[in-house]
Amino acid sequence: MRLTRCQAALAAAITLNLLVLFYVSWLQHQPRNSRARGPRRASAAGPRVTVLVREFEAFDNAVPELVDSFLQQDPAQPVVVAADTLPYPPLALPRIPNVRLALLQPALDRPASASRPETYVTTEFVALVPDGTRAEAPGQLEHMVEALRAGNARLVAAPVATANPARCLALNVSLREWTARYGAAPAAPRCDSLDGDAVVLLRARDLFNLSAPLARPVGTSLFLQTSLRGWAVQLLDLTFAAAHQPPLATAHARWKAEREGRTRRVALLRALGIRLVSWEGGRLEWFGCNKETTRCFGTVVGDTPAYLYEDRWTPPCCLRALRETARYVVGVLEAAGVRYWLEGGSLLGAARHGDIIPWDYDVDLGIYLEDVGNCEQLRGAEAGSVVDERGFVWEKAVEGDFFRVQYSESNHLHVDLWPFYPRNGVMTKDTWLDHRQDVEFPEHFLQPLVPLPFAGFVAQAPNNYRRFLELKFGPGVIENPQYPNPALLSLTGSG
């Protein structure tokens, strides 16, 4: 039987279709990794780093030049510019898929993922690039990646050749003490923190596992969080160029940026629970309470302030205010001839630390009741609240028949003055609180009083103060510190 041309063409078409169907079916049954082999090779050769630009001022910046310089080195370079809200004036960014603007402040008309910076990063590494940086040499980011992989630091950094290039610093963060302490780095170029302009590279998963990955100022925020985790940063022998047209070129722009930068820094440190920054050379910066503000904690319940439940001790600004108030009150009492002595936890702090106990929240002094009339401020407090010329507030406490001196009308950190009087050789008083140390004691502990260093000055204390303290608190109290109310919270059971 002979086939016609039409039949032969139809048979060929059917055979070709069957071959195509067979090939497609074969592809679908291949392992996923085998099918993706070609694209994977292309991806491995592509960019491994996302350039993330966060630290810039919307009103005056060189972000377009920064972005363009990295795209000149690699047109496929992923770039994310992150801002809280839409920058104004608008940024002149190229309209290409690998350059994206991330707005971090949630908005009603956008999904939650749109305000999460990790949404925009798909590479293994992230380079945090400050405004005013320019990429001029090829392969700088890849060099940083290799340095990160070859070393044992969790971050690597390259200085930017600005007027303020990065330098190494040591940094110790104590959340318990609400304090960050900066100093000279003992092992540069490996350091805890950087001061100055630098491109910082780290793994994306590390960055986005931080609690505040892109909080501003970025350098301050980043290194507080990484040093607390024990992550070191290695400063590389590699430099990025500065922008041809640097940002903040005018005095007004620099003034505005410095003002807004200070505001952001104060807000950041307070949000992260840092109340004191100590710089190399001894300079101190305070970010907590003062005479014009309220104290850092609210009403104390069960002798246990809220910060103890957070495994923190008394904020350093509060301790500073207590020391200032105690020194002032003691000076007034001594000038007026009022006999006083360190009482309770304050005496315990003096015996143990020569200072206020690190988690205490007030100061206690005992006074002779018969000497109250010698002091003008105490006489005034008998009739009502008195604000003296230094802004301290003298008043009768609402809890009972004793006096209280507050740091200011706004800030209620205070010294309590407990009036005692002798009865048959025993010191007693009219108001007793439910404290284990609130007990009568023999007057001979006050005859004589002895000097004892406390809170930066010398105060009067009972003689044989160890025995006095053990009478009130129990044996071994100086050597065995404990929180005020161990039934609620124990020092040995906390962090």
Side-chain angles (χ1 to χ4, degrees), residues 163-188:
N164 186 32
R167 64 187 183 97
C168 260
L169 289 176
L171 172 58
N172 176 266
V173 179
S174 172
L175 291 182
R176 176 169 270 184
E177 297 176 347
W178 310 71
T179 300
R181 297 180 177 90
Y182 291 88

Side-chain angles (χ1 to χ4, degrees), residues 365-400:
L365 300 177
I367 60 174
Y368 270 88
L369 176 61
E370 64 190 86
D371 292 346
V372 167
N374 298 342
C375 178
E376 178 185 353
Q377 290 88 339
L378 292 178
R379 291 197 308 271
E382 294 271 20
S385 181
V386 174
V387 182
D388 67 19
E389 68 279 1
R390 293 277 300 276
F392 294 92
V393 181
W394 299 69
E395 61 187 12
K396 262 302 192 56
V398 296
E399 299 93 332

Side-chain angles (χ1 to χ4, degrees), residues 369 401 419-421 423 428-432:
L369 176 61
D401 192 20
F420 284 82
Y421 55 90
R423 184 171 59 194
T428 188
K429 57 189 176 77
D430 293 332
T431 295
W432 299 95

Side-chain angles (χ1 to χ4, degrees), residues 44 54 61 101 111 171 198 200 246 255 257 268 289 322 391 400-401 447 477:
R54 172 62 167 147
N61 62 76
L101 178 63
L171 172 58
V200 179
W255 168 82
L268 170 74
C289 65
L322 285 172
D401 192 20
Q447 296 173 340
V477 65

Side-chain angles (χ1 to χ4, degrees), residues 40-79:
R40 270 191 181 276
R41 282 198 296 269
S43 174
R48 294 184 290 173
V49 182
T50 295
V51 169
L52 203 160
V53 185
R54 172 62 167 147
E55 197 61 67
F56 67 95
E57 301 295 346
F59 60 83
D60 189 332
N61 62 76
V63 171
E65 181 186 344
L66 182 161
V67 173
D68 182 65
S69 72
F70 280 93
L71 293 177
Q72 286 182 26
Q73 303 303 319
D74 182 358
Q77 174 64 58
V79 178

